[in-house]
Amino acid sequence: MAMKGIAVGLRLWEFLWTLLIMALIGNMINESFAGNPATVNYTMFVSAFSMFTLLYLAPATFNPDWAIHPIIMIVLDTLNAIFFLTAGIALAARLESHSCSNSSYTRNNEITNGSFHREKRCREAQASTAFLWFVWAGYTISMVMSFMASRQTGVNLRGRTGPARGARPSMAQV
């Protein structure tokens, strides 16, 4: 029961931070006059993918009977963890680590250039980068928990259910 509470709490954690990332990146895209670099667009894709998968993952975590197959949860958690990891690395690398108050930096940076409010866009990108790492941690923990839950229910990675290999048959099977 405690594991279920932690798992549901993680889904809430993932939803909250994904929503904040989606709002910040959406605002960055909306206020751009010169287009957006691929990194910003990819980050929006990652947050949209996360929201879409949470439509399945949250109910399936709350009630495991609603899950089509436990392996689907492992795959979706793994994909989300990989996507958030790559988005966090890419956005941090493109943003670099300079002061958002530095006009020369914001004018020449690929992420901040192209906005009337470069300093604001820089701060939104910095916040999004931090939030990407929060969600990545949540999905990584969820992936491990999904894997452990699938092992406890008797589902192995080949999709077969039932007793482990080499188990003795019960008297009803003899």
Side-chain angles (χ1 to χ4, degrees), residues 20-121:
L20 287 171
I21 292 167
M22 187 177 275
L24 287 169
I25 297 295
N27 191 47
M28 286 173 59
I29 290 172
N30 185 44
E31 292 183 352
S32 175
F33 68 83
N36 291 293
T39 308
V40 173
N41 293 331
Y42 177 71
T43 304
M44 181 53 97
F45 160 75
V46 169
S47 62
F49 182 81
S50 175
M51 280 295 186
F52 179 70
T53 59
L54 280 170
L55 291 174
Y56 171 78
L57 290 170
T61 301
F62 185 72
N63 186 355
D65 294 335
W66 294 342
I68 298 168
H69 197 284
I71 203 78
I72 294 173
M73 293 180 69
I74 295 169
V75 168
L76 291 177
D77 282 333
T78 303
L79 284 173
N80 275 307
I82 291 169
F83 289 163
F84 275 99
L85 176 69
T86 56
I89 291 170
L91 192 58
R94 293 287 184 205
L95 191 59
E96 301 172 5
S97 58
H98 295 281
S99 171
C100 290
S101 301
N102 184 345
S103 179
S104 174
Y105 160 69
T106 58
R107 186 175 35 260
N108 296 317
N109 185 276
E110 164 183 347
I111 301 293
T112 58
N113 193 10
S115 174
F116 290 115
H117 307 286
R118 293 187 312 264
E119 183 176 346
K120 178 182 176 231
R121 184 177 172 110

